[in-house]
């Protein structure tokens, strides 16, 4: 990707910021936020102006779609360990690939018209060629799109932690936006760690969804994949596509809501500014692989590709289904709506099943979904009515004499900084008090827990000298994991925790000051950064 546009756009940004703050280094939160907002607005405005040149240009849309199809293939080859692709691209290229793919989607959304000014030609329908005349425009849009996303990420970081972002404006160089030390290294560590976790997929749940969709609409996601062509981009008439799948005209009304849920058009796409902010909204190309538009005669066409379709189906299955985020075109059907409602109730149970399998495999004494504690003569003490509420899991480290009380959260994957602040707030304001209440109650009622485990396992326990620890167990990593008041482990981490004899070590991060003296920051990372700042160490 060419960065020559930096000399055009970033130079203009530099001059604008210099007129605002002068040639200086700025860390004042209000000033930094104002400048970042102005950069976001400027880059978004430039993106809109440039992309307007291509709105309704089917040739350009197909070109960008082909680039995206290629990027899907490259990503799959990289993740499968293909040696050939690793020799062609650098580590920096692979690190940049996800955000480049995101911008490619944003470009396709932006150029999507309601109706074309011309009819679709046979050449466009049959063509598999890529025209290089579109390269300069795509490069310019990639640069601008990346700048909009980067500006938004800086805004999100600055809103989470005051004085974490610094602006460096000089007379001799272009403006520099820096994540202040040690925030930069900590954020990089957190982002790399979150990205390392695989998305969780429940094959049985996917099969259940397929069955419900087929019952409701006569088609499902597995059948969509089966009928897609090989790698490539193609335009096809909507009704022709359905005919090729074997549907006769009389069945169109049945299957159309299903395909409408996989279709993005000018009518249901988000406004551009919202597209840059809300990466996980359903009306995004990430979840809707079929791009729909009409020609001048009102004929409806779809732009499709096997790579994009597979990507969207994966996203629906791993990042939407369990959290009830299916297309409204599907959930308007009563059968699908009931399935989604039931699945949301089962979400935590699905995760707890995995955790229990791990505890059983390692021979750990435990109980789960506890609503009542067993007492003498099997009389129960209702902890829902008389205690802290249902407890997801309690397990014992008998060697170290520790009772672990666990709160399980089958949380939605959140890879973008945009969502971190709200998710962290939810943990601190809602989930932490829940776990704290259960943790404190167990400390004060160890005798009841002791009686419960003694009765359940026909073994005499004495918890009088035991410690009690609260623990969040998560399906996917959360920003809270790195800065919570309670330790938080994913299902993957929990396996490591059990395998390592109830030990999970957060890495200690090392830093060097400008005078070459060193210091370290331990978990919880950001809390300790703020403590060191308050103590004058940083």
């Amino acid at each position: 990707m060419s960065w020559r546009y930096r000399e055009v756009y970033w130079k203009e940004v530099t001059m604008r910021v210099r007129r605002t703050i002068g040639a200086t280094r700025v860390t004042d939160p209000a000033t930094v936020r104002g400048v970042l907002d102005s950069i976001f607005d400027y880059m978004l405005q430039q993106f809109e102006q440039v992309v307007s040149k291509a709105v309704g240009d089917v040739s350009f849309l197909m070109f960008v779609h082909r680039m995206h199809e290629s990027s899907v293939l490259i990503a799959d080859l990289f993740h499968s360990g293909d040696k050939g692709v690793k020799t062609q691209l650098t580590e920096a290229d692979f690190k940049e690939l996800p955000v480049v793919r995101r911008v490619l989607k944003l470009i396709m959304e932006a150029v999507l018209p309601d109706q074309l000014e011309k009819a679709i030609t046979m050449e466009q329908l049959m063509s598999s060629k890529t025209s290089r005349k579109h390269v300069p425009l795509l490069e310019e849009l990639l640069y601008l799109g990346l700048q909009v996303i980067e500006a938004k990420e800086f805004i999100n970081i600055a809103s989470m932690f005051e004085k974490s972002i610094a602006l460096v404006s000089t007379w001799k160089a272009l403006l520099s936006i820096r994540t202040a030390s040690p925030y930069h290294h900590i954020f990089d560590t957190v982002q790399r760690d979150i990205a390392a976790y695989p998305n969780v997929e429940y094959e049985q749940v996917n099969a259940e969804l397929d069955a419900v969709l087929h019952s409701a609409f006569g088609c499902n996601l597995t059948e969509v994949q089966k009928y897609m062509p090989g790698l490539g981009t193609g335009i096809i008439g909507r009704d022709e596509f359905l005919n090729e799948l074997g549907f006769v005209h009389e069945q169109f009304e049945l299957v159309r809501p299903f395909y409408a849920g996989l279709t993005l058009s000018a009518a249901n796409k988000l406004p551009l500014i919202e597209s840059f902010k809300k990466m996980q909204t359903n009306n995004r190309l990430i979840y809707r692989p079929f791009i729909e538009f009409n020609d001048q005669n009102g004929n409806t066409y779809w732009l499709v590709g096997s790579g994009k379709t597979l990507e969207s189906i994966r996203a629906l299955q791993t990042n939407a289904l369990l959290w009830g985020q299916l297309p409204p075109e599907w959930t308007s059907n009563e059968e699908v709506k009931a399935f989604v409602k039931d699945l949301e109730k089962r979400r935590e149970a699905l995760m707890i099943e995995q955790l229990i399998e791990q505890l059983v495999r390692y021979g750990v004494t435990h109980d789960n979904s506890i609503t009542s504690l067993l007492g003498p003569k099997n009389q129960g003490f209702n902890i829902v009515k008389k205690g802290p509420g249902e407890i997801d899991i309690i397990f014992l480290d008998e060697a170290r004499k520790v009772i672990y009380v666990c709160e399980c959260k089958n949380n939605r994957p959140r890879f973008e900084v945009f969502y971190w602040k709200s998710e962290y707030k939810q943990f601190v304001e809602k989930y932490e008090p829940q776990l704290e209440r259960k943790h404190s109650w167990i400390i004060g009622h160890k005798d009841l827990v002791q009686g419960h485990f003694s009765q359940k396992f026909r073994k005499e326990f004495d918890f009088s000298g035991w410690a009690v620890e609260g623990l969040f167990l998560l399906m996917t990593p959360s920003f809270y994991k790195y800065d919570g008041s309670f330790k938080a482990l994913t299902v993957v981490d929990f396996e490591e925790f059990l395998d390592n004899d109830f030990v999970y070590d957060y890495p200690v991060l090392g830093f060097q000051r400008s005078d070459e003296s060193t210091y370290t920051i331990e978990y919880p990372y950001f809390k300790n950064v703020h403590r060191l700042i308050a103590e004058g160490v940083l």
Side-chain angles (χ1 to χ4, degrees), residues 138-394:
L138 178 59
E139 287 184 337
E140 188 172 8
L141 287 170
L142 281 171
Y143 172 80
L144 290 169
L146 289 169
Q147 294 308 304
V148 177
I149 289 174
E150 186 175 74
K152 189 59 188 171
E153 186 156 302
F154 278 126
I155 290 170
N156 292 328
I157 293 172
S159 70
M160 291 178 71
F161 301 108
E162 289 191 348
K163 297 195 174 182
S164 59
I165 302 297
L167 306 174
V168 180
S169 172
T170 69
W171 296 109
K172 295 182 179 180
L174 295 175
L175 174 71
S176 176
I177 305 175
R178 300 175 184 175
T179 307
S181 183
Y183 287 102
H184 174 73
H185 183 42
I186 299 175
F187 267 109
D188 186 58
T189 299
V190 169
Q191 286 181 311
R192 280 189 286 106
D193 190 57
I194 287 177
Y197 287 86
N199 280 345
V200 179
E201 188 170 352
Y202 294 99
E203 292 184 7
Q204 179 57 37
V205 173
N206 293 339
E208 291 174 20
L209 175 63
D210 266 356
V212 170
L213 290 174
H214 199 279
S215 174
F217 306 116
C219 195
N220 60 37
L221 295 176
T222 297
E223 291 171 359
V224 169
Q225 283 182 263
K226 184 170 67 174
Y227 288 116
M228 288 304 296
L231 184 71
T233 292
I235 294 177
I236 188 169
R238 180 188 62 191
D239 291 354
E240 180 186 350
F241 184 89
L242 296 178
N243 279 326
E244 287 194 10
L245 296 185
F247 296 109
V248 296
H249 188 76
E250 290 73 18
Q251 296 174 300
F252 284 3
E253 291 305 311
L254 175 67
V255 300
R256 272 181 178 162
F258 170 75
Y259 280 98
L262 296 175
T263 300
L264 189 75
S265 67
N268 67 1
K269 70 177 184 179
L270 291 176
L272 188 60
I273 188 171
E274 294 299 307
S275 291
F276 271 103
K277 290 180 178 180
K278 299 177 180 178
M279 299 296 179
Q280 290 186 309
T281 302
N282 179 262
N283 283 15
R284 300 296 316 281
L285 201 52
I286 181 64
Y287 298 115
R288 293 172 175 261
F290 298 165
I291 300 175
E292 180 177 287
F293 49 85
N294 298 321
D295 68 5
Q296 65 173 2
N297 299 318
N299 299 311
T300 302
Y301 290 90
W302 284 347
L303 177 59
V304 299
S306 56
K308 181 73 208 72
T309 302
L310 178 59
E311 178 192 56
S312 294
I313 290 174
R314 285 175 180 168
L316 283 168
Q317 290 174 335
T318 63
N319 203 350
L321 172 57
L322 283 180
W323 298 273
Q325 301 301 311
L326 292 180
E329 294 90 343
W330 297 356
T331 55
S332 61
N333 176 278
E334 290 301 320
E335 188 176 359
V336 178
K337 184 191 296 184
F339 171 74
V340 169
K341 188 175 182 180
D342 177 68
L343 189 57
E344 286 193 81
K345 292 178 182 177
R346 293 164 50 201
R347 186 173 68 224
E348 304 294 346
L350 288 166
M351 174 187 172
I352 290 173
E353 285 176 12
Q354 289 182 259
L355 295 166
I356 297 306
E357 287 175 7
Q358 292 173 325
L359 289 166
V360 169
R361 193 164 63 251
Y362 283 92
V364 178
T365 304
H366 67 277
D367 198 7
N368 64 281
S369 305
I370 307 163
T371 58
S372 181
L373 296 177
L374 297 173
K377 300 180 182 180
N378 287 328
Q379 292 179 340
F381 182 90
N382 191 319
I383 63 172
V384 174
K385 293 181 178 179
K386 300 177 183 179
E390 182 176 355
I391 296 174
D392 291 330
I393 297 175
I394 296 177

Side-chain angles (χ1 to χ4, degrees), residues 429-488:
E429 295 183 358
K430 182 180 179 181
Y431 301 151
E432 255 189 22
Q434 291 174 352
L435 182 53
E436 177 58 47
R437 185 171 64 251
K438 295 170 186 179
H439 176 247
S440 298
W441 192 89
I442 295 294
I443 290 174
H445 297 81
K446 282 192 288 184
D447 57 327
L448 293 179
V449 180
Q450 175 183 303
H452 176 80
F453 273 82
S454 296
Q455 284 282 102
K456 187 175 182 67
F457 295 99
R458 300 289 187 263
K459 175 181 177 180
E460 287 300 319
F461 287 97
D462 180 5
F463 290 162
S464 57
W466 286 44
V468 180
E469 290 191 21
L471 180 65
F472 279 113
L473 295 175
L474 314 176
M475 179 52 71
T476 60
S478 163
F479 183 78
Y480 180 87
K481 172 190 170 183
Y482 309 93
D483 205 45
S485 297
F486 289 101
K487 183 174 285 187

